[in-house]
Amino acid sequence: MSAQSPTVDNASALIGFDELVGLLHAVFVKHGTSPQVAATLAHNCASAERDGAHSHGIFRIPGYLSTLASGWVDGQALPVVTDVASGFVRVDAGNGFAQPALAAARDVLVTKARSAGIALLAIHNSHHFAALWPDVEPFAEEGLVALSVVNSMTCVVPHGADRPLFGTNPIAFAAPRADGPPIVFDLATSAIAHGDVQIAARKGERLPPGMGVDSLGQPTTDPRAVLEGGALLPFGGHKGSALSMMVELLAAALTGGHFSFEFNWADHPGARTPWTGQLLIVIDPSKTAGQSFAERSQELVRQMHAVGLRRLPGDRRHRTRAKSLEEGIVVELDALNQLRDWAS
Ligand code: NDP
Ligand code: PYC
């Protein structure tokens, strides 16, 4: 524990957002990333922790470090951006992380979206080990609509099949609105994210029914049975399964990345990151006819509240964010001490 980290109780402490970004930056650089890659990943990971997106915050750091140590991913990769067409940008992430590839292409993507009304970013040869909302929310904060999909690693049984094939394949969407933070959702197309299964296993908790199967394909609520030879199910039966298939097509087939079943960690003990692809679509809604898009999205929110809706997707995150920025981010003391060890 450091003098700057007031304790909450015996098990947890408070840390400021900037301090956490700095600590994570030091951890990434110490474990082989370039300072630029470290800056992007540290901001991403600290943002998840700040917003209470725990399955993709500090919890992920051991996976990042073991993957870097295994040589599976290049923490120093320099993304190569290609301006393919008026509304199409491609990035070869160079076997590095997806977020620095997005950062490298961001300016040209936004310029194209504002000029043509829509632009697409296809990232391949990339590793995405994080929450997806940080990739789309900033576009909506500057008035754009953004949609992203990324595929992961085989652990989901397509609806009606016998064995896993798809990844947990999230879809994230962000849109501006007039009187509040952007409307954002970010959801795995599996019934539960793989990260949450790991967290349940670590805490000794059961999963809700309908999330996964064991190694014999039988329904189970035991997260260890899912992780040790079992698999997850798509959310919503055939509907989630179709969306997961779409994510494979857009994030891998369209980008030139690997499908979730097309890579193998076997030769790289410690590898944890999916080597796949990611697609982003950015739309400039100022090109739409009529009232401003942000006013229209605000009206939709107003009407949802009027029929009794209390929680929009993103509300929980924004509430947690406000509290974290006001009081500090609550972090387990053991995890904080571990980060300090790794950074030093
Ligand atoms: P959740 O099921 O927890 O949440 C999905 C979305 O629904 C969020 O936008 C959430 O908002 C919203 N939401 C949740 N509960 C409610 C409710 N009761 N009412 C209204 N809205 C609600 O997320 P998942 O478990 O599906 O995914 C967790 C994370 O895992 C995501 O960030 C995803 O990107 C990440 N992931 C990453 C992968 C990768 O390959 N990189 C693969 C799979 C998942 P809020 O956030 O405000 O709670
Ligand atoms: O939680 O399913 C998940 C996941 C896969 C890759 C990164 N997160």
Side-chain angles (χ1 to χ4, degrees):
M1 186 178 55
S2 96
Q4 313 97 295
S5 302
T7 51
V8 178
D9 51 40
N10 284 344
S12 43
L14 293 170
I15 184 167
F17 179 70
D18 291 340
E19 191 190 349
L20 182 55
V21 173
L23 181 57
L24 290 168
H25 186 276
V27 171
F28 279 118
V29 170
K30 194 86 189 171
H31 289 79
T33 75
S34 66
Q36 293 83 348
V37 169
T40 303
L41 295 184
H43 191 275
N44 176 293
C45 184
S47 300
E49 200 63 33
R50 174 201 65 197
D51 282 19
H54 296 296
S55 62
H56 290 81
I58 289 171
F59 168 74
R60 288 279 158 186
I61 294 298
Y64 276 112
L65 302 194
S66 69
T67 277
L68 283 161
S70 76
W72 171 247
V73 66
D74 181 357
Q76 312 262 338
L78 292 174
V80 177
V81 180
T82 308
D83 185 340
V84 181
S86 61
F88 204 121
V89 188
R90 188 183 301 140
V91 191
D92 181 343
N95 193 33
F97 291 101
Q99 293 83 1
L102 167 57
R106 199 177 191 286
D107 286 352
V108 62
L109 180 67
V110 168
T111 302
K112 281 179 183 296
R114 291 208 186 278
S115 151
I118 183 164
L120 186 150
L121 175 64
I123 303 174
H124 73 285
N125 200 7
S126 54
H127 298 247
H128 202 294
F129 201 49
L132 200 52
W133 60 262
D135 298 358
V136 293
E137 191 168 87
F139 291 103
E141 284 167 351
E142 53 183 279
L144 300 164
V145 175
L147 178 75
S148 185
V149 293
V150 63
N151 61 319
S152 64
M153 65 286 174
T154 289
C155 61
V156 176
V157 185
H159 181 76
D162 302 323
R163 291 183 300 285
L165 185 77
F166 296 156
T168 42
N169 297 3
I171 301 173
F173 172 80
R177 66 166 156 142
D179 297 330
I183 301 172
V184 179
F185 73 76
D186 173 17
L187 47 90
T189 51
S190 47
I192 185 170
H194 197 264
D196 283 320
V197 181
Q198 294 174 57
I199 288 175
R202 183 187 279 192
K203 289 182 174 169
E205 293 171 353
R206 308 298 290 190
L207 302 175
M211 309 269 120
V213 292
D214 63 18
S215 57
L216 301 173
Q218 295 304 309
T220 182
T221 58
D222 178 356
R224 292 198 178 280
V226 170
L227 296 173
E228 293 159 15
L232 294 171
L233 299 171
F235 82 86
H238 63 284
K239 301 185 184 188
S241 195
L243 290 174
S244 190
M245 176 182 69
M246 178 193 77
V247 174
E248 293 287 345
L249 289 170
L250 294 179
L254 196 79
T255 64
H258 295 112
F259 286 124
S260 296
F261 58 86
E262 280 183 324
F263 62 87
N264 189 343
W265 289 323
D267 292 339
H268 291 80
R272 296 281 181 278
T273 52
W275 183 27
T276 55
Q278 179 181 5
L279 187 88
L280 279 109
I281 298 170
V282 177
I283 300 168
D284 179 358
S286 72
K287 301 279 193 279
T288 51
Q291 256 181 301
S292 97
F293 178 88
E295 290 294 345
R296 295 293 288 151
S297 57
Q298 186 62 45
E299 175 59 11
L300 179 64
V301 170
R302 221 179 342 262
Q303 294 298 336
M304 288 193 287
H305 286 149
V307 294
L309 184 93
R310 291 211 180 78
R311 176 179 168 186
L312 277 175
D315 279 354
R316 180 200 58 84
R317 269 194 315 103
H318 279 102
R319 261 200 314 277
T320 311
R321 181 183 302 182
K323 193 164 189 286
S324 296
L325 293 177
E326 172 87 18
E327 300 172 4
I329 303 169
V330 181
V331 178
E332 283 176 18
L333 265 175
D334 286 349
L336 196 52
N337 288 332
Q338 180 69 80
L339 288 179
R340 292 197 166 118
D341 275 357
W342 279 327
S344 63

